[in-house]
Structures are given as structure tokens and as C-alpha cells.
Amino acid sequence: MNRRQFVKSTALSLAMLGMGRTALLSADQKPRIAITMDDFNVFDTPALSGTARNQAILDALRQFNLRAAMFVAGKYADNEKNLALLHAWNAQKHLIGNHTYSHRYYPNIKFEEYTQDILRNETLLKQFPHYRRFFRFPYLQEGKTVEQRDRMRAFLKERGYRNGHVTVDASDWYVDDRLRKRLKDDPKADVKPYRDFYLNHLWERATYYDELSRKTLGRSVRHTLLVHHNVLNGLFLGDVLHMFKSKGWKLIDAGEAFTDPVFSAEPQILPAGQSIIWALAKETGKFDQLLRYPGEDGDYEKPKMDALGL
């Protein structure tokens, strides 16, 4: 679903932040990144069944000895088949977090209704021993007014939740949508161009947010990459992990990433949300020329994919 259905804004021009940087980094300077995955919207496609996709994602994580975080929207998991697949994540000790039950856009929902939806999801997910009280807002939208933002922050603290912030935001959902449409039209289509585009997209966004972290905070944080449980990652998550490792980034568990102090920050911006790095940069008032709003959206990738015939 395109974020611009919910967020109306004009994109500011984006300055490139050292995308071609090739300098060698010492061990303590090397960026660290964890995989965090949203939704658990598992369904069959002609290209890949939901069960096969789930197994492929888990196999990729196991290959690199990684434990990810799965932020589950309950409406997608609340059936016998998908709960069984989610149990496989729990069995492999991946962190399971709360992404609301209904996956709705908080700024347009009454506080009481939205918090009940969070609690409904909590009831569903607490059966899993590796469920932890991390909460991630759908669409990374945390409120459009001070009252809405701060009331929710207080509620989450009262319930013992931490915000499962994203540091590296991306638009894998958009690339996935275009890939699935291509495979629906032509099941034998060559998927390598989509793989290449996806890897380049993630590398661009990761280096952008890492440079923004260094400019804003003076350091590289322990990054959390936002991707989704989709066909794209069923096919290419292993390639994504190999890419980051081959480029000198350290792959870490999501639980380790969330120990970074940056995840306790509460940027005082409106509307609230986006990548926590984006929000902290916005709060300083120093980097507006480097920020577009929303930070990521399919509209930014559409002309690039159109030009490549993808």
C-alpha cells in the first residue's frame, strides 16, 4: 500500500550523502545492521507459496546465524496455517513484536480504538515465548498532534512497551508489488533485474541513513532495517544479507540492535514518525535540505523502475 495514500506532502530534493564512499573503516566504525520484518502477511502466489516463502526467509537468516525481529499485524497471522508458520519463527528464537492487530493508520483513529487494537494483538501474540514488548507503528506514523503523539507514548510506557523504531527505512513493498505483477503476467520472467534493483535500493538507503546518523549523532547507530514478509524477500533475502556482509557491514541480531540508546529517543517533531534517524535529524533543524517527506515511498522508486522496464 502506497504511503502517499496516507501522507500528503511534496518531496524535497535529496542530497546524496556519500553514497560512493569506499574508505576502509576500522572494526568499531563498521556499520552494524539487523533485519526487522513487518506484517507477516503470508499468502500463496504462483511464484512462491506462503509456506515456501516463510521457509526461504528463515533459511536465509539461519544461513547467516541471525535472529531477526518480526513485527506481526495480527489480522494476517490469526488463522491456523499462519500461526503455525509464526511458531517456526518463535522456535528459531526470533523476536516477535506488536504491529497492531488491524494495521491501521494511527493519525486517523481515535486513541481508545487504537489502543484496544494493540491490546487485541498482544492477546494473540503472548502465546509465543519469544514475544517481546516492542511496538512498531504501521506506516511509521506516530501521531499528527502533540496530544496524539504524547498520549500514545504514555500508554506504551504504561504497558511496558518500547518503540521498535526503524533506522533504515526502504520501499521493498513497492518493488515486491511490481515483481509480483510481472510474475503474474509472465511466470517465467527473469527476476534478476528485480534482484539487482532491490539490492541497489537497499544499499542506497542504508548508506544514506548511516551517513545521516553520523551527521546527526556523531556516530553510526546499531541499525534496524525495515523489510516485509513478501515474495521479494523470500527470493532475495539471502542476497541482501550477503551484500551487506561483503560491503563490510556487520550483521547483528535484532535484540542486540535494540540495545542502542538511540531507540529510547523521543523526537519532538510533528507529524511524529519516520525513521528514528530521520526524526532526530529533523528535530535539530539543521538538515532539512537532506530530508524528504515521507522519508520513503514508492513514488520515489517508480520512475527508476519505469526507466528500467521493471
Side-chain angles (χ1 to χ4, degrees):
M1 185 177 293
N2 194 308
R3 293 183 192 179
R4 287 182 177 271
Q5 291 176 309
F6 301 104
V7 183
K8 295 181 179 179
S9 65
T10 301
L12 299 176
S13 59
L14 177 63
M16 300 298 284
L17 291 176
M19 299 302 183
R21 177 169 56 94
T22 59
L24 294 176
L25 298 174
S26 64
D28 62 342
Q29 291 177 311
K30 286 184 178 180
R32 292 161 289 181
I33 195 163
I35 298 298
T36 69
M37 195 166 280
D38 281 9
D39 298 354
F40 209 72
N41 187 10
V42 184
F43 52 85
D44 294 340
T45 70
L48 207 61
S49 72
T51 299
R53 183 214 308 177
N54 193 64
Q55 190 60 52
I57 291 171
L58 288 173
D59 286 348
L61 293 168
R62 187 186 303 112
Q63 178 186 352
F64 287 85
N65 194 29
L66 283 180
R67 289 180 178 142
M70 171 57 72
F71 286 90
V72 179
K75 70 174 184 178
Y76 298 127
D78 198 3
N79 59 72
E80 184 176 352
K81 179 180 178 181
N82 286 358
L83 281 175
L85 297 179
L86 189 55
H87 272 288
W89 283 75
N90 181 77
Q92 295 184 29
K93 300 182 180 180
H94 297 290
L95 185 156
I96 296 173
N98 194 327
H99 197 42
T100 75
Y101 188 91
S102 303
H103 201 274
R104 300 171 72 187
Y105 179 68
Y106 174 49
N108 290 350
I109 309 297
K110 291 181 179 179
F111 172 82
E112 292 78 12
E113 184 179 351
Y114 203 81
T115 52
Q116 286 303 307
D117 200 60
I118 294 172
L119 296 177
R120 180 184 180 185
N121 206 39
E122 180 181 305
T123 299
L124 174 69
L125 297 178
K126 66 183 181 182
Q127 65 182 283
F128 297 98
H130 288 282
Y131 172 62
R132 298 291 181 267
R133 288 180 184 257
F134 283 90
F135 177 76
R136 178 170 289 170
F137 287 87
Y139 313 105
L140 305 184
Q141 293 296 313
E142 302 178 34
K144 59 187 176 183
T145 66
V146 171
E147 179 184 13
Q148 191 178 48
R149 178 195 70 197
D150 291 353
R151 195 176 182 191
M152 184 58 70
R153 285 177 177 176
F155 168 81
L156 292 172
K157 287 178 183 176
E158 181 181 336
R159 294 293 303 180
Y161 279 97
R162 295 179 57 196
N163 193 318
H165 283 294
V166 172
T167 67
V168 178
D169 195 4
S171 296
D172 72 307
W173 54 272
Y174 180 74
V175 183
D176 176 74
D177 184 61
R178 298 204 29 162
L179 170 63
R180 287 192 290 111
K181 287 178 180 177
R182 175 60 59 85
L183 290 173
K184 182 178 179 181
D185 293 338
D186 179 8
K188 296 182 179 180
D190 183 8
V191 299
K192 184 179 182 297
Y194 291 88
R195 168 194 173 275
D196 294 345
F197 182 88
Y198 182 39
L199 295 181
N200 288 334
H201 169 64
L202 288 187
W203 182 242
E204 275 193 355
R205 304 327 298 151
T207 52
Y208 165 77
Y209 285 106
D210 189 57
E211 290 290 351
L212 191 61
S213 172
R214 294 172 190 271
K215 287 179 179 292
T216 304
L217 302 173
R219 66 185 182 93
S220 176
V221 300
R222 298 185 186 102
H223 287 292
T224 51
L225 172 65
L226 169 58
V227 293
H228 294 78
H229 194 300
N230 53 29
V231 172
L232 187 72
N233 287 303
L235 293 174
F236 305 131
L237 181 61
D239 294 310
V240 169
L241 297 173
H242 176 75
M243 175 190 71
F244 279 111
K245 188 172 182 179
S246 69
K247 290 181 179 291
W249 285 44
K250 183 179 179 181
L251 302 173
I252 62 174
D253 292 344
E256 178 183 346
F258 283 126
T259 65
D260 194 295
V262 74
F263 294 102
S264 298
E266 295 184 335
Q268 302 297 301
I269 65 168
L270 291 174
Q274 306 296 302
S275 154
I276 186 64
I277 300 301
W278 189 102
L280 289 168
K282 183 68 175 178
E283 185 180 40
T284 70
K286 299 177 181 179
F287 304 105
D288 285 355
Q289 75 278 11
L290 304 178
L291 304 175
R292 61 188 184 186
Y293 188 82
E296 306 299 327
D297 189 78
D299 284 358
Y300 304 137
E301 308 313 317
K302 182 180 186 303
K304 303 174 191 176
M305 298 192 77
D306 288 348
L308 293 169
L310 300 178

